[in-house]
Amino acid sequence: MEQVQVILPDGSERTYPAGTTPADVAKDVSSRLAREALVAKVNGRLVDLATPLEGRVELQIMTADDPEGLDTLRHSTAHLMAQAIQRLYPGTKLAIGPTIENGFYYDIDCPQQLSSDDFAVIEEEMRKIVKENLPIRREEIPKAEAEKMFRELGDVFKLEILEDLEDGSISLYRQGEFVDLCRGPHVPSTGRLKAFKLLSVAGAYWRGDANRPMLQRIYGTAFAKKSDLDAYLERLEEAAKRDHRKLGRELDLFSFRDEAPGFVFWHPKGYTLYRTLEAFSREIQERYGYEEVSTPWIFRPQLWETSGHWQHYRENMFIIETEEETMGVKPMNCPAHCLLYKRETRSYRDLPLRYAEYGPLSRFELSGTLHGLLRVRGFHQDDAHLFVREDQIEEEIGNVLAIIDEIYSTFGMSYKIKLSTRPEDFMGEIETWNRAEAALARALERHNLPYTLNEGDGAFYGPKLDFDVTDALGRSWQCATVQLDFQFPERFDLTYVDQDGREKRPVMIHRAILGTIERFIGIITEHFAGAFPTWLAPVQVRTIPVSVRHHDYGQEVDRKLREAGLRCEFDERNEKVGYKIRDAQMQKIPYMLIVGDREAEEGTVSVRHRRDGDLGSMALDEFVSRVRAEIESRAL
């Protein structure tokens, strides 16, 4: 009788009879693993728990504690939702239903326009299907048979997907009357799917093409335990409170208008925040020898053809047709900085040369992808390009890493690093790419910085380091990027004269640390929930007189605060002092100075902090010294 030899993750080996499945092995290992098992990895490949094992295999049983297990649970919940919708709304056609970070979605063509008001009914039907505990079974049939089946079902979307698949065996998954075209794997039965929540509905073009049908995209999430789901929903609720678009309105920071979609209108307070952040970036860069420049924002196509953007990036650019000439609005500064470099003969002594620019950039983003400050069409970067000798790469990358660490630590944000390597549409020679990737890896290792490889996600002109920062809610945001480029110097014919008198090519380092300033402000608005540290707050102090007769003293306090360089407001409204304090709290102003009879007589101020409450009475000079020290240290 044939046997199966199973190697478990701890290295132990067990022998089973032919036909044994991962589910059988889970039962043999422990009753708890059998209860929690969702999917298996056999020789590195994910499979259903009911898959028969053959020969000698390495086996890992996955639960919701494993990323692959949780992903499978969510994929199966997407099918559960689709089945419930088809039961409730006959005639619904299904497009695609993948998992995404923290959940899943399904694009559907439903006879009824759905809204969040329908979610309770859909979820109730999903719970009924869970109670039915329907087995989820995989089937493999010839492609022609699958086409016949979906043609009879009238599912045009599945038929189109089938057209793109090679002839041969096609995998389907069934649960009760429901059938879906799917690669799998899935959990064993609908009874495993108990903790889920539908979150939102949006429009989505079929295959992302604005010329194709508009579908309804239903988003949801799922967990193995209700406690995990509840914790996630609490985080979502907190994130909604911190939504930068909501806070932007409440704190009067910025707005968007239909007259300029994707472009930001900065209000006075928001622009103060913007300029403070920009000044912080400038201060650090000047310490590291950066020179600030400003270049045009519209160029003829020849520049973009030389850089390669016309061939690789044109669909993301704003194109202007004028006087029978085509022009391109710049989406990035690097080609212009190459022109600046090339304006004179360079010596090896001139390098490294560090150009920084904060000017406007524009990229065409589809209207459906715009999202507050996080996805815009017009933006500014703390952009810089370094022209270096090859022997200077590691030192200069090290300096950039030091700047990144200083900036992110100032905001109390940790980060992770990804090394993104050569993409499919790369420019240049593979040997050059290998040298560039190795140089980035050496720089990270030299500074003892851990990183992960992100294969194939480099820019078309060079590999890069991507920095994912983590905010106060534990969410990850891709911000800084550092790109090493051997291609642009070649394409722009950039040279320097080496010490032996021969011309050589410099290497170019592209880097942005905040990323786009607009997006970074959106991120830190949510990170701080709008309660910016005092050094960054648009208004740092608000003086609140107890009554009208205290206005003269209050205005004197306000004047002295301004003379000390603090950003302040004087609340002269004829309102009760309690109302004024609550309003300052709502505006998240760090300090409130309440002045009444005693303060006016003693020349003091009664200090209140938005977080710490009443700090007592103190001399104005003492308060100013205290706040200035807090600002200078950029304390959180």
Side-chain angles (χ1 to χ4, degrees):
M1 181 179 181
E2 292 186 13
Q3 293 183 322
V4 177
Q5 196 74 18
V6 175
I7 306 170
L8 297 174
D10 62 2
S12 63
E13 297 190 21
R14 301 190 185 192
T15 302
Y16 296 96
T20 295
T21 67
D24 297 326
V25 177
K27 291 177 186 176
D28 185 46
V29 172
S30 74
S31 58
R32 178 179 177 180
L33 183 60
R35 288 194 308 272
E36 297 181 358
L38 297 172
V39 69
K41 185 178 283 187
V42 177
N43 294 333
R45 184 173 68 92
L46 286 176
V47 300
D48 300 307
L49 290 175
T51 304
L53 302 174
E54 297 179 353
R56 192 168 188 268
V57 298
E58 293 183 356
L59 175 66
Q60 184 177 357
I61 308 296
M62 304 286 190
T63 70
D65 292 331
D66 302 295
E68 298 94 330
L70 185 56
D71 190 72
T72 301
L73 177 84
R74 289 169 173 167
H75 190 184
S76 298
T77 309
H79 281 215
L80 174 69
M81 179 184 74
Q83 183 178 13
I85 290 173
Q86 284 194 325
R87 282 187 177 184
L88 292 168
Y89 310 103
T92 295
K93 303 294 185 279
L94 306 178
I96 57 172
T99 57
I100 54 176
E101 185 179 9
N102 296 321
F104 60 87
Y105 70 80
Y106 218 121
D107 288 346
I108 63 172
D109 182 12
C110 182
Q112 178 170 322
Q113 185 64 42
L114 300 177
S115 72
S116 57
D117 294 337
D118 300 301
F119 288 174
V121 174
I122 297 171
E123 288 172 347
E124 181 58 33
E125 189 65 31
M126 291 170 70
R127 285 189 282 271
K128 290 179 182 177
I129 299 171
V130 169
K131 289 181 180 178
E132 293 173 21
N133 197 22
L134 302 173
I136 302 176
R137 296 195 175 97
R138 179 186 178 94
E139 296 179 9
E140 294 196 6
I141 62 175
K143 180 180 177 180
E145 189 176 330
E147 289 173 332
K148 180 176 181 295
M149 182 182 69
F150 284 107
R151 192 174 295 111
E152 291 172 352
L153 292 172
D155 200 327
V156 294
F157 306 110
K158 300 299 182 185
L159 285 171
E160 189 171 328
I161 293 172
L162 282 166
E163 288 177 6
D164 297 334
L165 301 180
E166 296 180 0
D167 292 337
S169 181
I170 299 296
S171 59
L172 307 172
Y173 277 83
R174 290 185 184 274
Q175 52 197 58
E177 82 288 353
F178 178 80
V179 61
D180 202 358
L181 179 68
C182 186
R183 288 180 300 182
H186 283 280
V187 303
S189 72
T190 60
R192 299 291 188 97
L193 310 173
K194 296 180 180 178
F196 50 80
K197 182 70 177 175
L198 304 189
L199 301 174
S200 62
V201 58
Y205 291 111
W206 170 230
R207 295 195 159 177
D209 186 343
N211 298 314
R212 306 297 300 277
M214 172 66 81
L215 305 175
Q216 298 183 64
R217 176 169 293 179
I218 314 295
Y219 288 94
T221 191
F223 292 85
K225 301 175 185 175
K226 186 177 183 301
S227 58
D228 292 338
L229 174 63
D230 290 342
Y232 176 72
L233 295 177
E234 285 180 15
R235 291 196 299 273
L236 282 186
E237 186 177 348
E238 178 62 26
K241 294 177 185 176
R242 293 172 178 246
D243 189 314
H244 73 281
R245 297 167 297 180
K246 171 177 175 288
L247 291 171
R249 290 190 301 272
E250 294 173 354
L251 303 180
D252 195 23
L253 301 178
F254 57 85
S255 59
F256 293 87
R257 296 185 63 87
D258 291 340
E259 290 85 347
F263 291 81
V264 188
F265 286 79
W266 289 106
H267 302 184
K269 290 179 182 178
Y271 200 54
T272 297
L273 171 63
Y274 179 104
R275 289 185 294 107
T276 304
L277 184 61
E278 191 177 61
F280 171 52
S281 171
R282 278 192 170 99
E283 175 191 319
I284 294 176
Q285 290 191 157
E286 286 173 3
R287 276 197 268 118
Y288 283 86
Y290 285 77
E291 299 176 287
E292 191 170 338
V293 300
S294 179
T295 59
W297 55 92
I298 299 174
F299 289 91
R300 286 175 169 155
Q302 290 87 337
L303 178 74
W304 308 117
E305 290 168 358
T306 300
S307 68
H309 288 97
W310 210 247
Q311 301 91 314
H312 295 267
Y313 207 78
R314 183 175 179 178
E315 68 276 9
N316 299 107
M317 294 174 61
F318 282 100
I319 307 300
I320 298 174
E321 301 288 346
T322 179
E323 293 184 348
E324 300 182 356
E325 185 173 21
T326 300
M327 305 283 278
V329 181
K330 69 176 179 181
M332 52 197 67
N333 293 308
C334 36
H337 290 185
C338 287
L339 296 184
L340 279 181
Y341 177 95
K342 200 173 179 179
R343 74 186 190 278
E344 60 184 74
T345 302
R346 305 289 180 178
S347 162
Y348 71 96
R349 294 188 182 90
D350 297 327
L351 306 183
L353 187 64
R354 309 176 186 94
Y355 287 147
E357 182 164 8
Y358 294 88
L361 300 170
S362 293
R363 297 177 188 173
F364 177 72
E365 303 283 359
L366 294 173
S367 58
T369 66
L370 300 176
H371 183 77
L373 296 177
L374 302 181
R375 194 72 174 265
V376 292
R377 287 172 170 167
F379 57 93
H380 303 71
Q381 291 182 323
D382 61 332
D383 198 15
H385 296 92
L386 289 64
F387 299 89
V388 304
R389 302 191 308 265
E390 197 160 345
D391 64 290
Q392 296 172 323
I393 289 175
E394 290 183 38
E395 181 178 358
E396 283 303 308
I397 293 291
N399 289 337
V400 172
L401 294 173
I403 295 173
I404 289 171
D405 189 70
E406 180 175 352
I407 287 179
Y408 290 161
S409 62
T410 298
F411 294 99
M413 302 171 97
S414 61
Y415 58 89
K416 295 180 180 179
I417 307 173
K418 295 181 293 189
L419 171 52
S420 299
T421 59
R422 186 178 68 248
E424 291 184 6
D425 64 340
F426 69 94
M427 291 194 313
E429 303 296 325
I430 290 180
E431 180 185 347
T432 304
W433 274 83
N434 291 341
R435 287 204 337 264
E437 291 171 6
L440 286 178
R442 283 196 305 272
L444 292 171
E445 290 159 6
R446 179 178 173 182
H447 291 83
N448 298 314
L449 291 171
Y451 65 92
T452 57
L453 277 179
N454 188 19
E455 299 282 358
D457 201 41
F460 65 85
Y461 47 78
K464 61 178 179 172
L465 303 178
D466 290 319
F467 293 75
D468 294 336
V469 301
T470 302
D471 71 7
L473 294 182
R475 298 173 301 180
S476 181
W477 305 89
Q478 199 279 309
C479 288
T481 182
V482 182
Q483 301 166 354
L484 191 56
D485 181 6
F486 287 79
Q487 309 304 326
F488 269 33
E490 186 76 32
R491 295 179 74 90
F492 282 91
D493 192 25
L494 306 184
T495 61
Y496 68 90
V497 179
D498 203 2
Q499 56 188 339
D500 59 9
R502 292 189 299 175
E503 284 192 344
K504 289 189 177 179
R505 299 269 184 229
V507 180
M508 201 170 167
I509 298 173
H510 309 242
R511 49 114 290 199
I513 296 172
L514 301 176
T516 75
I517 297 177
E518 286 77 2
R519 183 171 179 269
F520 195 77
I521 289 177
I523 292 169
I524 61 173
T525 299
E526 299 192 4
H527 176 62
F528 293 117
F532 300 104
T534 304
W535 72 270
L536 193 58
V539 178
Q540 295 163 327
V541 187
R542 180 180 283 181
T543 302
I544 301 174
V546 173
S547 68
V548 174
R549 71 174 184 273
H550 305 114
H551 276 201
D552 287 347
Y553 180 63
Q555 288 171 339
E556 181 184 346
V557 168
D558 183 71
R559 178 180 58 78
K560 290 181 178 180
L561 294 174
R562 292 178 188 277
E563 289 174 353
L566 300 181
R567 298 190 289 271
C568 51
E569 290 180 344
F570 177 66
D571 192 342
E572 60 184 359
R573 293 174 297 175
N574 188 21
E575 299 283 355
K576 292 182 178 179
V577 68
Y579 173 84
K580 293 181 180 182
I581 291 172
R582 286 192 298 275
D583 181 67
Q585 290 277 171
M586 293 294 291
Q587 288 297 304
K588 304 182 187 294
I589 296 171
Y591 288 97
M592 291 144 271
L593 302 185
I594 293 87
V595 293
D597 290 336
R598 188 185 68 181
E599 289 79 17
E601 291 172 7
E602 298 175 354
T604 61
V605 290
S606 181
V607 183
R608 185 175 185 84
H609 188 269
R610 68 183 172 201
R611 182 186 63 239
D612 300 330
D614 186 10
L615 301 182
S617 178
M618 63 181 72
L620 182 58
D621 288 345
E622 178 189 352
F623 170 77
V624 168
S625 296
R626 170 177 176 159
V627 176
R628 284 178 62 88
E630 180 181 340
I631 292 169
E632 288 170 6
S633 68
R634 295 196 173 96
L636 293 174

